[in-house]
Amino acid sequence: MFFKKIALTLLLPMVMIISACGDLGENDSAKGSNSTISISGSTSVGPLAEKLAMKYEENASANIEVNQIGSSAGITNAINGVSEIGMSSRDLKDEEASELQEVVIAYDGIVVVTHPSNKVKNLTMEQVKQIFTGEITNWKELGGEDLEIVVVSREDGSGSREAFQEIVGYSSGELIDNAIIASGNGNIKTTVATNKHAIGFISFEYIDESISPLSINGVEATTENVLAQKYSLSRPFLFVYKEGNLSESGQQFIDFILTKEGQKIVSSAGAIPILEQ
């Protein structure tokens, strides 16, 4: 009887250990069953997608892989089924739109800014192009003071620079030769804020009293005007996918982005939410 009690005493912990190991195995299996959502595309949408993915993964059984390779490459990947979702910071071309579904997850606004003392407060899109390509070189040509215009642009390869050039209508090769090249929105803002001659472009989130935002074609740079599609210097942030290739997990991630919680992340990341906050 004594030995039976010892045997039972020894057996019970062993059963518990085996049971625990079984539970761990089940948990590992559950983790291994997490679906993977592959996303590729725009380097402008990418940072926002990563922030959204990080938050979503906290409470969802999904692994989200974001690969920033450019809008066109991401669109091609979505068409060919290489990626479940493509990211684009431009509108789809007709031939792309015929193959893909698109969802606007946010908007991005780009603001042309000058030194606060500059009397010029409005420019046409054509004037913006002429300034950045060197056709207009003095502020007096635009109703301002007799000051040489100093153009400040982003570095080559910047998503904001590419979008700005595409919307305004000039190429990198047409940028005025003596333009100051600044890395990042913050550097452009600082350069313009400390130079009475300067003009540059920054994202909406960087606007403050240290610089003066310009209206374009008489339309102010506001979130409301972007959402109403009145402000020209704006672009959609798109998720695109081929019908039939979007998994249930992929759809759930998109649904999350379009909730108020998801759109708060959009706003905190500096993009313009599509839902009222």
Side-chain angles (χ1 to χ4, degrees):
M1 188 72 177
F2 174 77
F3 290 106
K4 287 184 179 180
K5 288 183 179 180
I6 292 177
L8 288 172
T9 303
L10 292 173
L11 182 61
L12 183 59
M14 290 177 66
V15 171
M16 293 175 66
I17 291 171
I18 292 170
S19 176
C21 289
D23 289 340
L24 285 173
E26 290 177 3
N27 289 337
D28 288 344
S29 175
K31 288 179 181 178
S33 68
N34 285 359
S35 58
T36 297
I37 305 169
S38 61
I39 302 175
S40 66
S42 168
T43 57
S44 296
V45 183
L48 171 61
E50 288 179 345
K51 290 183 176 66
L52 288 162
M54 189 179 301
K55 184 64 176 178
Y56 182 73
E57 287 175 336
E58 290 178 2
N59 300 301
S61 297
N63 298 313
I64 303 175
E65 298 177 352
V66 179
N67 188 12
Q68 301 181 44
I69 56 175
S71 293
S72 295
I75 290 168
T76 299
N77 279 353
I79 291 173
N80 294 334
V82 176
S83 298
E84 183 174 335
I85 297 172
M87 303 180 290
S88 178
S89 57
R90 63 167 173 81
D91 290 315
L92 294 178
K93 298 173 184 177
D94 290 342
E95 60 272 22
E96 295 167 342
S98 67
E99 299 213 47
L100 295 172
Q101 305 294 318
E102 68 173 52
V103 178
V104 179
I105 64 168
Y107 289 96
D108 183 38
I110 304 172
V111 192
V112 179
V113 293
T114 63
H115 190 274
S117 66
N118 198 317
K119 295 179 181 179
V120 177
K121 302 299 179 185
N122 178 70
L123 293 173
T124 66
M125 191 68 82
E126 181 61 25
Q127 287 172 331
V128 174
K129 178 180 177 180
Q130 290 172 333
I131 289 171
F132 278 81
T133 58
E135 293 182 53
I136 296 177
T137 59
N138 195 297
W139 284 110
K140 69 179 179 181
E141 300 177 62
L142 300 165
E145 296 182 38
D146 185 7
L147 295 171
E148 180 184 359
I149 297 175
V150 173
V151 171
V152 187
S153 181
R154 287 288 299 275
E155 72 280 8
D156 199 12
S158 157
S160 294
R161 172 172 169 170
E162 290 177 3
F164 181 78
Q165 291 178 171
E166 182 179 345
I167 297 170
V168 175
Y170 69 95
S171 65
S172 289
E174 294 175 292
L175 178 66
I176 188 170
D177 291 337
N178 63 354
I180 295 174
I181 304 301
S183 177
N185 286 281
N187 286 333
I188 284 189
K189 185 175 79 169
T190 299
T191 303
V192 173
T194 55
N195 189 329
K196 292 182 178 181
H197 299 245
I199 184 170
F201 55 89
I202 58 176
S203 293
F204 270 35
E205 63 177 310
Y206 288 85
I207 298 176
D208 60 27
E209 66 281 353
S210 70
I211 40 89
S212 177
L214 301 185
S215 296
I216 303 297
N217 295 330
V219 180
E220 292 183 17
T222 65
T223 297
E224 292 74 22
N225 284 335
V226 168
L227 293 176
Q229 299 184 359
K230 295 179 180 178
Y231 184 71
S232 304
L233 281 172
S234 61
R235 54 182 173 164
F237 278 177
L238 301 176
F239 269 13
V240 299
Y241 59 91
K242 197 163 187 176
E243 192 168 4
N245 284 358
L246 186 67
S247 66
E248 183 178 350
S249 295
Q251 183 62 65
Q252 289 172 349
F253 180 47
I254 292 175
D255 291 342
F256 165 75
I257 294 172
L258 301 180
T259 64
K260 287 191 174 181
E261 181 184 359
Q263 290 294 294
K264 283 181 180 178
I265 298 170
V266 167
S267 182
S268 66
I272 298 172
I274 61 174
L275 300 177
E276 292 185 7
Q277 300 299 293

